[in-house]
């Protein structure tokens, strides 16, 4: 039996390779339909968002890229934005399209019955692909708000066929190095039906497109009681897990800090990621955050989040796989479960702190950020203008 | 065995007494955190909202009063607003407070740990009580957005005690003719904990206040699988059902048209209302809509809603109570259920149409409104200004 | 605008073609883990179950076949059982396998880590295929109880691969005229993970097998909030909807009378069945009941159930599809929904009663069965022996 | 800043006082409606169950009493059973009544419409009170299976009144030293309605009885998404939390090992217990397990369970309450949550092992039990007879 510290020494290579992409919009204001509360220092444009994101990476070494959302992060010259990011030590990552904020999308976009709305949404994705060429992004991520609020409001079957056709058109425009990643979501903003509500639908749609089309699993987008790690396992098995949108939820799509509502679930997810090869260099699985910091500070919220993912990854990697396999094959229920729980209950934080320090990173990134004075600086500097949010 | 028509003749007195209060905010724009879509003709102020609400009553005879939301419906002179309403054939009803849109309420209002926030929220309710004196309203309805997003964020116990104290202060300010009605809600906008999350909490809080404090049951505010009609039964039994907020939902607090997602549930609720005396003249139960018409037209949406309540009330009243009682006491499961289902499947619409016509109302209120030209008129007239929504 | 009666006249051909398969086990005792209550007259063997099932068909004309469950319906000579069924006017239908009641299956069957358990389960399916040859059945239905109760208890990925291999072996043994239908289930009897928990998994598994493998959709096997009719739509679109297991539920897999908990949901399901061609003669979709009559009488429970399906089918067929399509394409939300609701609220019962009578069937099958004296006869005759249940 | 070890030293007094009652039925066989799997060595009578329970206490020092279930644990002379328990180092605890397994209870017991069924159930509780006098038990725990499967099946209001009357009758029979503890449960075995479905109903019922009536909170008996620790807080605040039934669940009432499905939830529950004084000597809160070991070994399952509770209690006690309070009052969301999470992620297991050893207990109770040879002994000895289960 090796000690936790000895076992930890064997996993640092894998931890060192870990990269978690940050969403630019996490640094802007967000809220609920009832209210969006602002906070001093909130970025006013994509450049300031990237500067904030770079703080997360600087303190953790975990977040080397930033996902953009078009049009929220629209700029005149993406080459300039890319250079700005690189100066700050991060890269531009996934391009997220937006098909839910124009008047034309009131009744849907890629799946809508109205061909004009569909064409507009397709054209928007063409624009996004242009942006991808400029930013050097690999992934075009599509989350569709499409759906209906009342039964009979529209024809679900026709919409599914519309969606297939729209996606095929967009897929045909991808560059060789690009991927299309289709996110599914259980409900919201549509209440009766959503056009891509579950992994099965996303899988059936991307399987029809081709090898460059993959599924995005957002951890907050499932019905209550859903075993999410099972889906992780299945998508890895089917070779179609393109990316994660990490966050946490109690009931709906709360977009809370990943790992905050059910840390054990995050652990189980990471266990299946490891088991299915999702951490391997060639897995192609992208790990992203997709969160809203409605009431807490945003930069520390993101730091906390990537640390949570790192800590759970470490715990998942610490599992004694040989012992687990033996217990499983012996139908030793308590034994097998106990091996898993032992890893979960191991306090990896001191080991991670030490390892972090050994790599020139702060042992305590939260404290280091707080001590950095960055927050006071942006509060002082970012006066005037309009704080960024989901609309800008 | 009497025919449906014969039985219908026996329930028209009760139907004639039915009144459903409309929420002023249903006539303004609403949406999700992702987008609020506008529509032409949307009211710009409380006067126009009331004019629209009056259309619902004019075509159905079902909606003689309009609930106000403060500050969304703030006016300089409530006497003028009251006179305006009366000219349009409706009265002003319940006053709804708002403790979720000021910066001060970011971490709560009546339950907050911050005494300044609590005092501000108490003062706001004092203002609402002043409005009630001016409008002649009976009910002060309190829906609290208070809660937290992260475990440990605040002390739930202290907040519960804070809430009790705040409510007692407000209760002490009520006029003799006033009531305080405390709404509970399962989740949203807070995600980890809500300070009044269930009927039990609302009941415990209002029971501690006194006879003028009651529970408000919003049909969209429960965990999945909750038997809502059981709660209706229980609150009527305990003498604490103050009012309904009617709407419909598939998963969260969708605020869809009442009866649209699960008509049978609305039926079962009305069955318990009838059973428990909630339709009796002296029951004190207020029936209100609380809905959002995010994608559908607002005035017809409200007309459809009150008709749904009326139709379900008729079906509930048509139940052969003696036969049901006999079957129940005989443990005749299929027989008893069959008696209920028979009422549910009875098509009351032709009978209601005829009865409506006999009272000088349109047989088909939806068609009559469409034919009235009112919509074209408001679209033409309401140009410029800012359309009302949840923020104004 | 045609009257309901005129429209009804246009759909009787389709209603006349409707057939709903009954499960033999619905006529035996069932219950919960807390208690199985018995009732007088319960069958003691498959012959008596089939006699009871024949009563349902005799009174409704809707249930011409009976599904068997092996080993619960094991007999020495299936030719004799088949002749018995034919004498009673019904046919033998789907063969349901059982991989959850032997000691060997404690930790799983087709997906188990233990190769002995897997082989035993495969052999059992070979036996079932032998039975199918004797009974003339088309469908081999597999519902798997396989899963685990604790995270880490077994390797979900390995089990999924095991399952694929086991199914391929069974598939290879099917006769040309046979189909394999794989049922999915959200949870129970396993609590942490289920090996076929959702339609996506069932679809991925059967798609890998070939054209004779299909998905079975049990209406009670979904997470709360799941839009089941969407799945019906999707599986029909993908050409993989093999069969329905109809029943009804409030929260878990309650196996209540179909249509009893949420009649509107059953309506929406039938709407999508019609829309997707599932009622067409060549659709290959099998309609079955899978229910438990824990507290209500069994034969009337089944009569009530097939009538519920028939009534909802009639309502779904009555929808004015042209008007609906026009309203949908015009984004007329209330109009489109209204067309659907109009069909739902139409009382088809008198029309069905009349049509039934015109075909020599009882206008009121429930009353006709009650008046038939059959129940008293079986209570008197079936004395002694062991009442059939899930164990026999 | 003190070290975890220093802080641990301050909480050992409270840990030493902790006592968790074991349910006798956890040592018998249990399962689902599909199958009850047996295991070698399972007790055949209450004496053997108590012997097994004593093993849990012997290895952990945490489980000094055993709850009985009547009639499953019926014996001729409870004095003998009591002496047997004392010889084994444990006491007899809560008496659990059973009103769901007689034919008479098919349609309910204390709440049933049938007065004969009610009287029978009342008489059974009188018998239980007699047992309590003989065993020296304090608590009579009532979990009611009462409910209905179909809407309209029975009158929910009448049943609620029946229940109140039945409970009052039983309450009147309690000895001075007795308490009545009323458990609530969301669903199962009834599917449409349950007569005591939520804490509000249990609270309203016991509040009407008097000071000796309390609520029992079973952690598996809530709708999905329910914030259980909020209810713990509220019941402690209202002075009505009588006892816990600890277990764990993913979706329904799975009765898994406490802490296995969502360890963080168990932590949050224990945090509120500590916060509300539930661990204080005079709190009157009883901590019990109520679990089923369907697939895992029973004695180690119980050992694992009490250790889980102990470990979470330690984590909850380790919270820096002063720092937490300060962060909460400052609305420092991340800070306050971080203080909670710090305690949760602290690995208390080595400290507990050491402390356990210092008290003459095994450092690793699971390993100590495995090494004890007890299991082999009972397997060898308990041959023949009928293994105990829920029916015996």
């Amino acid at each position: 039996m090796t000690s936790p510290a000895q076992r930890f020494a064997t996993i640092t290579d894998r931890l060192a390779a870990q990269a978690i992409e940050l969403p630019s919009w996490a640094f802007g204001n967000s809220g609920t339909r009832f209210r969006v509360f602002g906070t001093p220092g909130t970025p006013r444009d994509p450049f300031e968002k990237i500067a904030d994101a770079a703080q997360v990476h600087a303190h953790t070494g975990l977040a080397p890229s930033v996902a953009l959302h078009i049009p929220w992060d629209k700029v005149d010259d993406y080459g300039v934005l890319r250079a700005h990011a690189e100066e700050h030590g991060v890269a531009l990552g996934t391009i997220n399209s937006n098909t839910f904020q124009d008047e034309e999308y009131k009744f849907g976009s890629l799946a809508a019955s109205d061909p004009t709305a569909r064409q507009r949404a397709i054209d928007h994705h063409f624009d996004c692909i242009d942006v991808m060429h400029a930013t050097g992004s690999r992934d075009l991520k599509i989350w569709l708000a499409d759906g209906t609020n009342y039964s009979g409001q529209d024809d679900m079957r026709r919409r599914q066929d519309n969606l297939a056709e729209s996606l095929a058109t967009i897929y045909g425009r991808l560059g060789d190095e690009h991927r299309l990643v289709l996110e599914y979501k259980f409900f919201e903003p549509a209440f009766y039906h959503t056009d891509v509500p579950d992994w099965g639908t996303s899988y059936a749609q991307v399987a029809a497109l081709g090898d460059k089309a993959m599924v995005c699993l957002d951890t907050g987008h499932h019905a209550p009681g859903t075993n999410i790690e099972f889906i992780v396992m299945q998508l890895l098995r089917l070779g179609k897990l393109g990316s994660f949108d990490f966050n946490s939820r109690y009931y709906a799509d709360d977009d809370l800090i990943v790992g905050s509502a059910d840390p054990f679930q995050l652990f189980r997810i990471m266990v299946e990621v490891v088991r299915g090869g999702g951490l391997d260099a060639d897995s192609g699985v992208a790990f992203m955050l997709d969160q809203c910091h409605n009431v807490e500070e945003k930069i520390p919220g993101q730091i906390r989040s990537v640390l949570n993912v790192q800590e759970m990854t470490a715990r998942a990697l610490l599992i004694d796989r040989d012992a687990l396999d033996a217990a499983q094959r012996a139908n030793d229920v308590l034994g097998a479960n106990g091996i898993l729980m032992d890893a979960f209950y191991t306090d990896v934080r001191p080991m991670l702190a030490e390892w972090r320090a050994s790599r020139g990173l702060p042992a305590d990134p939260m404290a280091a950020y707080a001590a950095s004075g960055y927050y006071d600086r942006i509060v002082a500097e970012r006066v005037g203008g309009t704080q960024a949010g989901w609309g800008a």
Side-chain angles (χ1 to χ4, degrees), chain A:
Chain A
M1 189 72 178
T2 53
S3 73
Q6 286 171 306
R7 277 180 284 145
F8 185 80
T10 68
I11 69 170
T12 50
D13 281 359
R14 310 204 71 182
L15 291 174
Q18 187 163 39
I20 303 157
E21 191 160 300
L22 306 184
S24 68
W25 54 95
F27 299 94
N29 292 322
S30 62
T32 68
R33 60 175 171 148
F34 295 101
R35 169 79 181 183
V36 175
F37 292 101
T39 43
T42 296
R44 282 89 42 97
D45 59 40
F47 293 88
E48 292 181 352
K49 292 184 203 173
I50 286 170
D52 287 4
Q55 285 291 310
V56 179
H57 188 51
H59 288 94
T60 64
L62 281 168
S65 64
V66 185
L68 302 183
H69 186 112
I70 305 300
W72 298 343
D73 295 320
K74 221 168 179 174
V75 293
D76 291 336
D77 186 333
Y78 290 94
V80 174
L81 191 68
R82 188 176 180 169
H84 170 81
E86 284 163 8
E87 276 163 36
H88 283 74
V90 293
L92 301 181
T94 300
I95 299 300
N96 294 262
S97 62
N98 178 320
T99 54
F100 50 90
Q101 290 192 315
D102 282 358
E103 283 298 321
E104 285 80 358
Y105 300 144
K106 186 171 185 177
F107 301 105
S109 62
L110 295 179
S113 286
D114 175 8
T116 313
R118 289 206 301 279
Q119 189 58 50
R120 182 181 176 87
I122 290 169
D123 289 343
H124 169 66
H125 285 90
F126 287 173
D127 290 347
C128 287
I129 292 171
D130 290 345
V131 171
M132 292 169 75
H133 284 295
T135 54
S137 302
R138 178 185 64 169
D139 287 356
L140 173 63
K141 192 163 67 189
I142 304 179
W143 166 63
L144 276 188
D146 287 36
T148 59
N149 279 0
Y150 294 96
S151 53
Q153 177 184 329
D154 205 351
D155 187 303
M156 295 193 296
R157 168 67 176 270
R158 181 169 58 219
R159 291 174 72 100
Q160 199 68 205
D161 293 336
N162 290 342
L163 175 60
E165 195 182 303
S166 297
L167 289 174
T169 307
I170 295 165
Y171 188 82
R173 185 76 159 247
L174 293 176
D176 289 344
E177 70 291 7
H178 291 163
R179 304 194 309 176
L180 182 160
V181 187
L182 182 61
E183 192 166 340
Y184 60 92
K185 185 173 181 182
F186 174 52
F187 94 106
E188 196 210 21
F191 298 132
Y192 165 60
H193 110 273
T194 295
D195 288 299
V196 189
D198 51 24
W199 79 264
T201 294
S202 181
Y203 169 68
Q205 286 282 357
V206 302
L209 291 176
D211 287 347
K212 295 189 296 183
M214 308 289 283
V215 176
C216 173
L217 186 158
D218 183 304
T219 52
H221 289 189
H222 303 85
T226 301
N227 184 323
I228 298 175
E229 59 270 25
F230 181 92
I231 300 175
V232 171
M233 175 280 291
Q234 188 68 279
L235 286 173
L236 283 168
R237 177 178 175 269
L238 295 168
K240 282 293 186 189
L241 181 57
S243 60
F244 278 100
D245 268 11
F246 277 127
N247 51 58
S248 186
R249 55 83 78 99
Y250 283 94
Y251 181 70
D253 183 32
D254 305 344
D255 284 329
L256 299 172
I257 288 175
V258 57
S260 66
D262 187 349
F264 185 50
Q265 183 185 61
L266 177 60
F267 171 72
R268 300 192 311 262
I269 289 171
M270 292 313 302
V271 169
E272 287 305 321
V273 166
V274 172
R275 166 66 177 91
L279 275 190
D280 297 354
D282 62 349
S283 80
V285 180
F287 297 87
M288 254 193 71
L289 302 184
D290 182 8
Q291 300 182 167
C292 295
H293 303 300
N294 295 355
V295 296
E296 69 275 20
E297 288 179 59
K298 297 168 179 76
I299 297 173
Q302 292 281 293
I303 293 175
R304 181 71 271 155
S305 300
V306 296
L307 292 176
N308 283 356
V309 175
Q310 183 184 48
E311 292 172 12
M312 283 304 171
T313 305
R315 291 185 183 95
L317 288 167
L318 285 178
I319 291 174
D320 185 336
R321 287 273 166 186
D322 292 337
L324 181 61
D325 187 72
Q328 288 172 340
R329 290 182 188 272
N331 287 323
D332 177 3
V333 177
L334 291 169
N337 177 251
I339 290 164
L340 210 76
M341 299 313 293
D342 180 48
F344 178 66
Y345 284 130
T346 299
D347 194 346
V348 296
R349 296 173 304 164
M351 296 181 280
L352 283 167
E354 198 177 321
W355 175 69
R356 215 178 271 123
S358 77
R359 302 169 68 219
L361 288 163
D364 182 342
M366 293 290 282
Y369 169 76
S372 72
Y374 184 82
Y375 180 66
D376 291 342
R377 204 154 62 241
I378 58 177
V379 169
E381 286 173 8
R382 294 177 185 171
V383 175
T386 304
Q387 294 193 335
W390 283 14

